Amino acid sequence: MTSDIELNPEPGILIESLRDIGYSFNSALADIIDNSITAHARKITIYALPEEGSFKVAILDDGVGLNRLDLLQAMRLGSSSPRNERETGDLGRFGLGMKTASFSQCRRLTVVSRQQGDTAAFTWDLDTVVKDNSWSITERFDFDHIFALDQLSSSGTLVLWENVDRITGHDGSDSVDYERLVSDAQEHLSLVFHRFLSGEKDTPKINVYVNGRHLEPIDPFNIANNATQASPEEVVCPGVTLRSFTLPHASAYEDKREYELYGLPGGYLRNQGVYLYRAKRLIVFGTWFGLAKKTALTQLTRVKIDIGTDQDESWKIDVKKVSAQLPEIVRKRVKSLIQTIGAPSRKVYRRRGARLTNPEAYPLWNRTKNGEKAVIYSINGDHPLLKNFREGLDTSSQEQFDSLLALIGSMLPIDTLFYDMSANAEPVSAAALNEEDFSRNTRDFFTTLKQFKEDQEILDIMRTIEPYQSRWDETLSVLGIEER
């Protein structure tokens, strides 16, 4: 004999837990935009502004809007089943996105929707939920007091975040670089929705404005550049298509800023790999899903995989729509294609018969003469690794770095070296780099030189200088190069 006992979740505890699913500010914004696109919006306006000591975010669209009953249902947690069959362009998934994305950033969520001239508005206040321990929302009629509502068109929806504590801190006292926050969000949305922003064929075109700036699409494959190499589109399995791209070398760009733009945040090495799209919306990017290592020689390779909304379960798309897993049938197919995918950017290098006549040594130490007698050794600040590291620092840190190099250079133990080498009792050598440091520096050196030299030329240089010369096989292995 059995009996069923109903165990309802504690509202206050569950609502706080839902805030920690793992959204970032950027992914939360993208989730709200998904709803706007599903509602057939063509213009989406975002305001992310400090307002009277607080930070508010308003996302408005000109979509079809919702009537009062539909909006009330949409405010419910789990408003639709993930197993429901969705329309081709429906970017939703669990019926949780709008709420969990918003709760992850703010403690007060107001949604206003307008349809056929009728306006409805509801507010979730998490402090009230916790205080009353009740799944209660407030219906709003004080339209004049709702931020940005005057910007809502004759039909459409406004999503308003207030008390954005995940940005400003619980009491609003955290120091926030709002300019950087908004700039990063603009760049993220320009990438994630680039196919919608560009009006790609069979894709609804949208216009997105963030604090008045119209977002331009960032195509990670730079298809508009004639130097981009693209393979034919291939059907991996039903519902899954694949196409690989090799981006242009740095020398193909006249403008360095354009080259860096398509490197995306973190650069080419970090952003190589698979770009997974669900219904034309970018879900995951810059990963080989554990099927291949990221190497300097494949840093220009990017692979576009398209799936539909009917693939969610097999790909294990998460509620945030920022992670996925390759289904086994696709994993096997992609694994078999990896070598072909990387072929345009991975070459088999053949050893040349002789070294370069005048190789660039890129010495870490400079040897100069002071007058006719004194020889001075100093650290070479123009060494690619040092120079590249220095350029990534702010002005104050650059000055500290320069002082530190000057100090190290001035403390070269000349007398001790002279004594040890003269005595000749024991061989004198520098400390060897451990495997991890050697690998990191090898990749960094290759990647830095790749900005202005061809792969073969870089390898010829590295073959003639330390620490790579004496560890050549290890150097090739780190770079993922086969030499014959």
Side-chain angles (χ1 to χ4, degrees):
M1 184 175 180
T2 62
S3 63
D4 295 332
I5 300 174
E6 186 174 353
L7 286 176
N8 292 319
E10 292 285 344
I13 296 174
L14 181 58
I15 204 76
E16 294 289 359
S17 299
L18 285 174
R19 304 195 71 203
D20 297 317
I21 287 179
Y23 280 96
S24 66
F25 180 69
N26 293 340
S27 62
L29 281 178
D31 217 330
I32 304 301
I33 292 178
D34 286 343
N35 292 334
S36 297
I37 294 174
T38 300
H40 307 294
R42 293 296 175 265
K43 180 181 179 181
I44 301 166
T45 303
I46 300 173
Y47 297 106
L49 302 167
E51 180 79 9
E52 298 178 356
S54 64
F55 182 59
K56 296 181 180 179
V57 179
I59 306 103
L60 303 100
D61 69 51
D62 62 353
V64 296
L66 298 168
N67 61 38
R68 179 183 178 279
L69 291 179
D70 287 341
L71 176 57
L72 185 59
Q73 173 64 14
M75 296 295 283
R76 184 190 301 273
L77 292 172
S79 55
S80 62
S81 171
R83 296 185 181 277
N84 289 346
E85 184 175 347
R86 295 185 178 272
E87 296 180 9
T88 302
D90 188 346
L91 297 181
R93 171 81 170 105
F94 291 91
L96 286 170
M98 179 184 71
K99 284 79 67 175
T100 53
S102 300
F103 295 160
S104 74
Q105 304 301 309
C106 72
R107 299 194 66 81
R108 183 176 170 86
L109 164 66
T110 297
V111 183
V112 185
S113 202
R114 184 171 292 160
Q115 188 180 78
Q116 297 179 349
D118 294 329
T119 303
F122 295 94
T123 294
W124 273 108
D125 190 318
L126 302 194
D127 290 333
T128 300
V129 173
V130 172
K131 178 183 176 182
D132 298 341
N133 203 30
S134 171
W135 297 110
S136 299
I137 64 172
T138 302
E139 185 165 9
R140 303 285 294 277
F141 301 100
D142 56 336
F143 298 153
D144 291 342
H145 293 84
I146 298 178
F147 177 77
L149 182 55
D150 59 330
Q151 302 293 315
L152 188 61
S153 58
S154 57
S155 69
T157 299
L158 160 66
V159 176
L160 175 62
W161 297 347
E162 297 175 288
N163 193 0
V164 189
D165 62 325
R166 290 301 168 91
I167 300 296
T168 63
H170 185 68
D171 58 0
S173 63
D174 285 6
S175 176
V176 182
D177 185 347
Y178 292 107
E179 185 175 345
R180 180 196 59 77
L181 180 76
V182 172
S183 177
D184 288 349
Q186 290 171 334
E187 189 169 14
H188 180 79
L189 298 178
S190 292
L191 174 63
V192 169
F193 296 101
H194 73 92
R195 299 170 77 173
F196 296 89
L197 293 168
S198 65
E200 181 181 302
K201 184 181 178 181
D202 299 325
T203 304
K205 179 174 174 55
I206 64 172
N207 289 286
V208 179
Y209 299 84
V210 180
N211 287 354
R213 174 187 165 188
H214 181 248
L215 299 190
E216 297 295 333
I218 299 178
D219 172 17
F221 313 111
N222 198 4
I223 297 175
N225 193 314
N226 292 331
T228 295
Q229 302 174 47
S231 72
E233 187 173 86
E234 175 185 349
V235 177
V236 178
C237 64
V240 180
T241 61
L242 176 150
R243 192 180 188 193
S244 63
F245 298 84
T246 300
L247 276 63
H249 186 269
S251 60
Y253 295 88
E254 294 183 1
D255 188 343
K256 182 181 178 181
R257 288 174 298 180
E258 182 185 6
Y259 171 72
E260 293 174 346
L261 170 67
Y262 290 103
L264 307 180
Y268 286 90
L269 186 66
R270 175 180 176 181
N271 291 299
Q272 64 181 281
V274 171
Y275 285 63
L276 176 64
Y277 293 82
R278 173 184 180 268
K280 307 294 184 69
R281 192 263 215 207
L282 186 58
I283 298 291
V284 179
F285 65 94
T287 176
W288 288 118
F289 286 100
L291 299 176
K293 292 182 179 179
K294 291 184 177 181
T295 68
L297 291 185
T298 54
Q299 67 176 337
L300 299 179
T301 301
R302 294 176 184 174
V303 181
K304 180 171 72 172
I305 295 181
D306 270 304
I307 64 173
T309 55
D310 59 339
Q311 298 281 325
D312 286 350
E313 191 167 344
S314 59
W315 284 77
K316 296 181 174 58
I317 305 296
D318 74 334
V319 65
K320 305 183 300 296
K321 296 190 285 288
V322 296
S323 70
Q325 296 180 32
L326 292 175
E328 190 58 31
I329 186 173
V330 179
R331 187 179 184 85
K332 289 180 179 179
R333 182 61 176 143
V334 171
K335 189 173 183 179
S336 70
L337 292 172
I338 281 291
Q339 294 302 319
T340 303
I341 289 170
S345 106
R346 182 191 290 113
K347 301 175 183 177
V348 175
Y349 291 88
R350 300 183 183 278
R351 180 183 293 276
R352 291 185 177 180
R355 294 179 178 175
L356 295 175
T357 305
N358 295 302
E360 295 181 70
Y362 291 104
L364 188 58
W365 289 88
N366 284 329
R367 179 184 183 276
T368 57
K369 279 193 173 184
N370 183 10
E372 296 182 358
K373 297 182 179 179
V375 175
I376 298 176
Y377 281 86
S378 61
I379 294 177
N380 177 19
D382 288 328
H383 187 281
L385 292 182
L386 296 180
K387 188 174 182 180
N388 191 51
F389 179 81
R390 184 184 187 278
E391 290 175 351
L393 303 174
D394 57 37
T395 302
S396 176
S397 298
Q398 285 182 353
E399 293 175 354
Q400 293 179 357
F401 182 67
D402 292 341
S403 296
L404 180 61
L405 290 186
L407 175 64
I408 295 172
S410 69
M411 298 183 69
L412 182 68
I414 297 174
D415 292 341
T416 304
L417 283 171
F418 181 79
Y419 173 82
D420 287 338
M421 297 180 75
S422 298
N424 201 29
E426 298 176 348
V428 179
S429 63
L433 288 171
N434 62 40
E435 183 175 342
E436 181 179 351
D437 288 338
F438 180 81
S439 297
R440 181 186 300 112
N441 282 281
T442 299
R443 287 191 294 267
D444 289 348
F445 187 84
F446 187 95
T447 302
T448 301
L449 293 193
K450 194 172 176 66
Q451 298 177 32
F452 48 88
K453 291 184 180 294
E454 295 292 337
D455 295 347
Q456 181 66 69
E457 187 177 2
I458 300 171
L459 289 173
D460 287 334
I461 291 170
M462 295 179 73
R463 189 183 290 117
T464 65
I465 62 176
E466 292 297 341
Y468 316 111
Q469 180 182 21
S470 59
R471 300 170 68 169
W472 187 239
D473 289 340
E474 188 177 350
T475 298
L476 295 177
S477 177
V478 168
L479 297 177
I481 297 172
E482 179 184 355
E483 186 180 63
R484 295 174 182 171

